[in-house]
Short mmCIF file of all heavy atoms in Angstrom, two decimals:
data_model
loop_
_atom_site.label_atom_id
_atom_site.label_comp_id
_atom_site.label_asym_id
_atom_site.label_seq_id
_atom_site.Cartn_x
_atom_site.Cartn_y
_atom_site.Cartn_z
N GLY A 23 -29.55 -18.70 97.62
CA GLY A 23 -28.65 -18.71 96.46
C GLY A 23 -27.22 -18.41 96.89
O GLY A 23 -26.28 -19.05 96.37
N ALA A 24 -27.03 -17.40 97.73
CA ALA A 24 -25.69 -17.04 98.21
C ALA A 24 -25.04 -18.20 98.96
O ALA A 24 -23.86 -18.48 98.78
CB ALA A 24 -25.72 -15.79 99.06
N LEU A 25 -25.83 -18.85 99.82
CA LEU A 25 -25.28 -20.03 100.59
C LEU A 25 -24.86 -21.17 99.63
O LEU A 25 -23.84 -21.80 99.86
CB LEU A 25 -26.33 -20.52 101.59
CG LEU A 25 -26.43 -19.75 102.89
CD1 LEU A 25 -27.69 -20.23 103.67
CD2 LEU A 25 -25.21 -19.99 103.73
N LEU A 26 -25.70 -21.35 98.59
CA LEU A 26 -25.34 -22.39 97.62
C LEU A 26 -24.02 -22.09 96.92
O LEU A 26 -23.16 -22.95 96.75
CB LEU A 26 -26.49 -22.51 96.62
CG LEU A 26 -26.28 -23.55 95.50
CD1 LEU A 26 -26.13 -24.96 96.12
CD2 LEU A 26 -27.44 -23.54 94.51
N ILE A 27 -23.83 -20.86 96.53
CA ILE A 27 -22.59 -20.49 95.87
C ILE A 27 -21.41 -20.66 96.81
O ILE A 27 -20.34 -21.17 96.41
CB ILE A 27 -22.68 -19.02 95.36
CG1 ILE A 27 -23.72 -18.90 94.25
CG2 ILE A 27 -21.31 -18.57 94.81
CD1 ILE A 27 -24.04 -17.50 93.86
N ALA A 28 -21.55 -20.23 98.07
CA ALA A 28 -20.50 -20.32 99.06
C ALA A 28 -20.17 -21.82 99.28
O ALA A 28 -19.01 -22.22 99.42
CB ALA A 28 -20.89 -19.65 100.34
N TRP A 29 -21.17 -22.66 99.37
CA TRP A 29 -20.98 -24.11 99.62
C TRP A 29 -20.30 -24.79 98.48
O TRP A 29 -19.38 -25.63 98.63
CB TRP A 29 -22.32 -24.77 99.94
CG TRP A 29 -22.21 -26.24 100.12
CD1 TRP A 29 -21.61 -26.91 101.17
CD2 TRP A 29 -22.72 -27.25 99.26
NE1 TRP A 29 -21.69 -28.28 100.99
CE2 TRP A 29 -22.38 -28.53 99.82
CE3 TRP A 29 -23.43 -27.25 98.07
CZ2 TRP A 29 -22.71 -29.71 99.22
CZ3 TRP A 29 -23.74 -28.43 97.49
CH2 TRP A 29 -23.41 -29.65 98.04
N LEU A 30 -20.71 -24.43 97.26
CA LEU A 30 -20.13 -25.07 96.06
C LEU A 30 -18.67 -24.66 95.88
O LEU A 30 -17.84 -25.47 95.40
CB LEU A 30 -20.92 -24.75 94.82
CG LEU A 30 -22.31 -25.37 94.72
CD1 LEU A 30 -23.08 -24.80 93.56
CD2 LEU A 30 -22.21 -26.93 94.60
N GLY A 31 -18.34 -23.40 96.25
CA GLY A 31 -16.95 -22.96 96.12
C GLY A 31 -16.41 -23.16 94.75
O GLY A 31 -16.99 -22.71 93.76
N GLY A 32 -15.24 -23.79 94.60
CA GLY A 32 -14.59 -23.95 93.30
C GLY A 32 -15.10 -25.14 92.54
O GLY A 32 -14.55 -25.50 91.48
N ARG A 33 -16.22 -25.72 92.97
CA ARG A 33 -16.73 -26.94 92.32
C ARG A 33 -17.71 -26.57 91.20
O ARG A 33 -18.33 -27.47 90.64
CB ARG A 33 -17.36 -27.89 93.33
CG ARG A 33 -16.40 -28.49 94.31
CD ARG A 33 -17.06 -29.19 95.43
NE ARG A 33 -17.64 -28.20 96.37
CZ ARG A 33 -18.32 -28.55 97.51
NH1 ARG A 33 -18.50 -29.78 97.76
NH2 ARG A 33 -18.79 -27.60 98.28
N ILE A 34 -17.95 -25.32 90.95
CA ILE A 34 -18.95 -24.94 89.97
C ILE A 34 -18.30 -24.22 88.79
O ILE A 34 -17.25 -23.63 88.86
CB ILE A 34 -19.99 -23.97 90.59
CG1 ILE A 34 -19.33 -22.71 91.19
CG2 ILE A 34 -20.80 -24.67 91.69
CD1 ILE A 34 -20.31 -21.65 91.61
N MET A 35 -18.99 -24.34 87.65
CA MET A 35 -18.69 -23.49 86.52
C MET A 35 -19.49 -22.24 86.69
O MET A 35 -20.72 -22.22 86.45
CB MET A 35 -19.04 -24.22 85.22
CG MET A 35 -18.12 -25.38 84.88
SD MET A 35 -16.45 -24.87 84.51
CE MET A 35 -16.70 -24.16 82.89
N ARG A 36 -18.88 -21.17 87.11
CA ARG A 36 -19.61 -20.00 87.54
C ARG A 36 -20.38 -19.38 86.38
O ARG A 36 -21.50 -18.87 86.55
CB ARG A 36 -18.62 -18.96 88.15
CG ARG A 36 -18.05 -19.39 89.46
CD ARG A 36 -17.02 -18.41 90.01
NE ARG A 36 -15.84 -18.31 89.17
CZ ARG A 36 -14.78 -17.55 89.45
NH1 ARG A 36 -14.78 -16.81 90.55
NH2 ARG A 36 -13.71 -17.53 88.66
N GLY A 37 -19.82 -19.48 85.18
CA GLY A 37 -20.49 -18.90 84.01
C GLY A 37 -21.80 -19.62 83.70
O GLY A 37 -22.79 -19.00 83.31
N LYS A 38 -21.84 -20.94 83.85
CA LYS A 38 -23.06 -21.69 83.59
C LYS A 38 -24.17 -21.31 84.60
O LYS A 38 -25.30 -21.16 84.24
CB LYS A 38 -22.78 -23.17 83.65
CG LYS A 38 -21.98 -23.70 82.43
CD LYS A 38 -21.78 -25.20 82.55
CE LYS A 38 -20.96 -25.70 81.32
NZ LYS A 38 -20.75 -27.19 81.39
N LEU A 39 -23.78 -21.24 85.86
CA LEU A 39 -24.77 -20.92 86.90
C LEU A 39 -25.27 -19.49 86.70
O LEU A 39 -26.47 -19.18 86.86
CB LEU A 39 -24.14 -21.05 88.27
CG LEU A 39 -25.10 -21.14 89.45
CD1 LEU A 39 -26.07 -22.28 89.28
CD2 LEU A 39 -24.31 -21.32 90.76
N LEU A 40 -24.37 -18.56 86.32
CA LEU A 40 -24.79 -17.20 86.06
C LEU A 40 -25.75 -17.12 84.90
O LEU A 40 -26.78 -16.41 84.96
CB LEU A 40 -23.56 -16.35 85.78
CG LEU A 40 -23.68 -14.80 85.62
CD1 LEU A 40 -22.38 -14.12 85.95
CD2 LEU A 40 -24.06 -14.47 84.20
N THR A 41 -25.44 -17.85 83.82
CA THR A 41 -26.33 -17.85 82.67
C THR A 41 -27.71 -18.42 82.95
O THR A 41 -28.74 -17.85 82.53
CB THR A 41 -25.68 -18.68 81.51
OG1 THR A 41 -24.39 -18.11 81.16
CG2 THR A 41 -26.57 -18.73 80.28
N ALA A 42 -27.72 -19.47 83.76
CA ALA A 42 -29.01 -20.09 84.17
C ALA A 42 -29.85 -19.05 84.94
O ALA A 42 -31.05 -18.91 84.71
CB ALA A 42 -28.79 -21.35 84.97
N GLY A 43 -29.18 -18.38 85.85
CA GLY A 43 -29.90 -17.34 86.66
C GLY A 43 -30.49 -16.27 85.80
O GLY A 43 -31.60 -15.79 86.03
N SER A 44 -29.74 -15.82 84.79
CA SER A 44 -30.17 -14.72 83.97
C SER A 44 -31.39 -15.10 83.10
O SER A 44 -32.14 -14.23 82.72
CB SER A 44 -29.03 -14.31 83.04
OG SER A 44 -28.72 -15.22 82.07
N LEU A 45 -31.53 -16.39 82.83
CA LEU A 45 -32.71 -16.86 82.04
C LEU A 45 -33.91 -17.15 82.94
O LEU A 45 -35.05 -16.98 82.49
CB LEU A 45 -32.35 -18.12 81.29
CG LEU A 45 -31.37 -17.97 80.13
CD1 LEU A 45 -30.83 -19.29 79.66
CD2 LEU A 45 -32.05 -17.24 78.95
N ILE A 46 -33.67 -17.52 84.22
CA ILE A 46 -34.77 -17.96 85.08
C ILE A 46 -35.54 -16.79 85.68
O ILE A 46 -36.77 -16.81 85.75
CB ILE A 46 -34.25 -18.95 86.12
CG1 ILE A 46 -33.82 -20.25 85.40
CG2 ILE A 46 -35.35 -19.24 87.15
CD1 ILE A 46 -33.07 -21.20 86.37
N TRP A 47 -34.77 -15.82 86.24
CA TRP A 47 -35.52 -14.79 87.01
C TRP A 47 -36.51 -14.00 86.18
O TRP A 47 -37.59 -13.64 86.72
CB TRP A 47 -34.53 -13.90 87.84
CG TRP A 47 -33.80 -12.87 87.08
CD1 TRP A 47 -32.48 -12.89 86.73
CD2 TRP A 47 -34.30 -11.57 86.63
NE1 TRP A 47 -32.10 -11.76 86.09
CE2 TRP A 47 -33.16 -10.90 86.05
CE3 TRP A 47 -35.49 -10.90 86.68
CZ2 TRP A 47 -33.29 -9.64 85.44
CZ3 TRP A 47 -35.61 -9.62 86.09
CH2 TRP A 47 -34.49 -9.03 85.50
N PRO A 48 -36.26 -13.68 84.93
CA PRO A 48 -37.29 -12.98 84.18
C PRO A 48 -38.55 -13.77 83.99
O PRO A 48 -39.67 -13.24 83.99
CB PRO A 48 -36.62 -12.72 82.81
CG PRO A 48 -35.14 -12.75 83.08
CD PRO A 48 -34.98 -13.80 84.13
N LEU A 49 -38.44 -15.10 83.86
CA LEU A 49 -39.58 -15.97 83.72
C LEU A 49 -40.42 -15.96 84.98
O LEU A 49 -41.68 -15.97 84.96
CB LEU A 49 -39.18 -17.41 83.32
CG LEU A 49 -38.49 -17.59 81.97
CD1 LEU A 49 -38.07 -19.04 81.76
CD2 LEU A 49 -39.41 -17.10 80.86
N LEU A 50 -39.76 -15.94 86.12
CA LEU A 50 -40.43 -15.92 87.40
C LEU A 50 -41.16 -14.57 87.58
O LEU A 50 -42.26 -14.49 88.17
CB LEU A 50 -39.47 -16.16 88.54
CG LEU A 50 -38.92 -17.58 88.62
CD1 LEU A 50 -37.80 -17.68 89.68
CD2 LEU A 50 -40.04 -18.57 88.95
N PHE A 51 -40.58 -13.50 87.05
CA PHE A 51 -41.28 -12.18 87.15
C PHE A 51 -42.52 -12.21 86.30
O PHE A 51 -43.51 -11.66 86.70
CB PHE A 51 -40.30 -11.13 86.63
CG PHE A 51 -39.55 -10.39 87.71
CD1 PHE A 51 -39.03 -11.12 88.81
CD2 PHE A 51 -39.36 -9.03 87.70
CE1 PHE A 51 -38.35 -10.49 89.82
CE2 PHE A 51 -38.65 -8.39 88.71
CZ PHE A 51 -38.15 -9.15 89.76
N ALA A 52 -42.46 -12.89 85.15
CA ALA A 52 -43.64 -13.00 84.34
C ALA A 52 -44.74 -13.79 85.05
O ALA A 52 -45.90 -13.41 85.01
CB ALA A 52 -43.30 -13.74 83.00
N ALA A 53 -44.34 -14.82 85.78
CA ALA A 53 -45.28 -15.61 86.58
C ALA A 53 -45.86 -14.72 87.70
O ALA A 53 -47.08 -14.77 88.01
CB ALA A 53 -44.62 -16.86 87.12
N LEU A 54 -45.03 -13.96 88.36
CA LEU A 54 -45.49 -13.10 89.46
C LEU A 54 -46.56 -12.11 88.94
O LEU A 54 -47.51 -11.81 89.69
CB LEU A 54 -44.30 -12.33 90.02
CG LEU A 54 -44.61 -11.33 91.16
CD1 LEU A 54 -45.05 -12.12 92.43
CD2 LEU A 54 -43.34 -10.49 91.48
N SER A 55 -46.40 -11.60 87.78
CA SER A 55 -47.30 -10.61 87.21
C SER A 55 -48.72 -11.18 87.00
O SER A 55 -49.66 -10.40 86.82
CB SER A 55 -46.79 -10.05 85.92
OG SER A 55 -46.87 -11.01 84.85
N ARG A 56 -48.84 -12.50 87.02
CA ARG A 56 -50.12 -13.13 86.75
C ARG A 56 -50.87 -13.62 87.99
O ARG A 56 -51.93 -14.20 87.83
CB ARG A 56 -49.95 -14.33 85.79
CG ARG A 56 -49.25 -14.00 84.43
CD ARG A 56 -50.17 -13.12 83.57
NE ARG A 56 -49.87 -11.70 83.82
CZ ARG A 56 -50.62 -10.69 83.38
NH1 ARG A 56 -51.71 -10.93 82.69
NH2 ARG A 56 -50.27 -9.41 83.60
N THR A 57 -50.37 -13.36 89.17
CA THR A 57 -51.02 -13.90 90.35
C THR A 57 -51.33 -12.82 91.36
O THR A 57 -50.62 -11.76 91.44
CB THR A 57 -50.09 -14.94 91.07
OG1 THR A 57 -50.79 -15.45 92.21
CG2 THR A 57 -48.79 -14.34 91.51
N ARG A 58 -52.44 -13.00 92.11
CA ARG A 58 -52.77 -12.13 93.25
C ARG A 58 -52.79 -12.93 94.52
O ARG A 58 -53.28 -12.42 95.55
CB ARG A 58 -54.16 -11.54 93.00
CG ARG A 58 -54.17 -10.44 91.90
CD ARG A 58 -55.55 -9.85 91.70
NE ARG A 58 -55.55 -8.75 90.76
CZ ARG A 58 -55.44 -7.47 91.03
NH1 ARG A 58 -55.28 -7.12 92.34
NH2 ARG A 58 -55.46 -6.55 90.13
N SER A 59 -52.26 -14.10 94.50
CA SER A 59 -52.17 -14.95 95.71
C SER A 59 -50.96 -14.61 96.52
O SER A 59 -49.84 -14.61 95.96
CB SER A 59 -52.17 -16.43 95.33
OG SER A 59 -51.68 -17.23 96.38
N LEU A 60 -51.09 -14.31 97.81
CA LEU A 60 -49.96 -13.96 98.64
C LEU A 60 -49.00 -15.15 98.81
O LEU A 60 -47.78 -14.97 98.56
CB LEU A 60 -50.39 -13.52 100.02
CG LEU A 60 -49.28 -13.21 101.03
CD1 LEU A 60 -48.32 -12.15 100.49
CD2 LEU A 60 -49.85 -12.81 102.38
N PRO A 61 -49.49 -16.38 99.16
CA PRO A 61 -48.47 -17.49 99.26
C PRO A 61 -47.70 -17.74 97.97
O PRO A 61 -46.51 -18.02 98.00
CB PRO A 61 -49.39 -18.70 99.67
CG PRO A 61 -50.54 -18.09 100.29
CD PRO A 61 -50.80 -16.78 99.55
N LEU A 62 -48.42 -17.71 96.82
CA LEU A 62 -47.72 -17.97 95.55
C LEU A 62 -46.78 -16.80 95.24
O LEU A 62 -45.68 -17.04 94.72
CB LEU A 62 -48.77 -18.12 94.43
CG LEU A 62 -48.21 -18.53 93.07
CD1 LEU A 62 -47.44 -19.87 93.18
CD2 LEU A 62 -49.37 -18.72 92.07
N SER A 63 -47.16 -15.60 95.55
CA SER A 63 -46.29 -14.46 95.31
C SER A 63 -44.99 -14.60 96.13
O SER A 63 -43.88 -14.32 95.63
CB SER A 63 -47.00 -13.15 95.69
OG SER A 63 -48.11 -12.94 94.83
N LEU A 64 -45.12 -14.99 97.40
CA LEU A 64 -43.94 -15.16 98.24
C LEU A 64 -43.03 -16.28 97.67
O LEU A 64 -41.82 -16.11 97.67
CB LEU A 64 -44.38 -15.48 99.68
CG LEU A 64 -45.14 -14.43 100.40
CD1 LEU A 64 -45.61 -14.96 101.78
CD2 LEU A 64 -44.33 -13.18 100.57
N LEU A 65 -43.62 -17.35 97.21
CA LEU A 65 -42.83 -18.46 96.66
C LEU A 65 -42.10 -18.04 95.37
O LEU A 65 -40.93 -18.33 95.15
CB LEU A 65 -43.77 -19.65 96.35
CG LEU A 65 -43.06 -20.92 95.85
CD1 LEU A 65 -42.12 -21.49 96.89
CD2 LEU A 65 -44.13 -21.96 95.48
N ILE A 66 -42.80 -17.33 94.52
CA ILE A 66 -42.17 -16.84 93.24
C ILE A 66 -41.05 -15.87 93.54
O ILE A 66 -39.98 -15.93 92.95
CB ILE A 66 -43.24 -16.22 92.31
CG1 ILE A 66 -44.19 -17.30 91.83
CG2 ILE A 66 -42.55 -15.54 91.11
CD1 ILE A 66 -45.39 -16.71 91.07
N LEU A 67 -41.29 -14.94 94.48
CA LEU A 67 -40.25 -13.96 94.82
C LEU A 67 -39.01 -14.62 95.42
O LEU A 67 -37.88 -14.23 95.16
CB LEU A 67 -40.78 -12.92 95.80
CG LEU A 67 -41.56 -11.77 95.16
CD1 LEU A 67 -42.13 -10.91 96.24
CD2 LEU A 67 -40.71 -10.96 94.22
N ALA A 68 -39.23 -15.71 96.19
CA ALA A 68 -38.04 -16.42 96.71
C ALA A 68 -37.28 -17.09 95.61
O ALA A 68 -36.05 -16.99 95.61
CB ALA A 68 -38.57 -17.50 97.70
N GLY A 69 -37.96 -17.68 94.59
CA GLY A 69 -37.25 -18.24 93.46
C GLY A 69 -36.54 -17.18 92.66
O GLY A 69 -35.40 -17.39 92.18
N ALA A 70 -37.18 -16.01 92.46
CA ALA A 70 -36.51 -14.96 91.76
C ALA A 70 -35.28 -14.44 92.50
O ALA A 70 -34.25 -14.09 91.92
CB ALA A 70 -37.50 -13.76 91.53
#
């Protein structure tokens, strides 16, 4: 995520990307709470 922000530089609407992030990570936490699989947990944590 940090690399993506650095690469996009001034080409992004920072507020839109921030808003999207604030909506997505809680949903991923909800998904994490429902799994006991290590590979899936690692993938969800990366997305969060």
Side-chain angles (χ1 to χ4, degrees):
L25 279 170
L26 179 61
I27 294 170
W29 176 68
L30 289 172
R33 293 169 287 180
I34 58 171
M35 291 292 289
R36 293 177 293 183
K38 289 183 178 179
L39 197 57
L40 186 155
T41 301
S44 71
L45 289 167
I46 292 170
W47 75 257
L49 295 178
L50 290 172
F51 266 40
L54 178 67
S55 71
R56 300 296 91 190
T57 181
R58 288 179 176 267
S59 163
L60 175 60
L62 187 56
S63 296
L64 296 175
L65 183 63
I66 292 171
L67 277 176

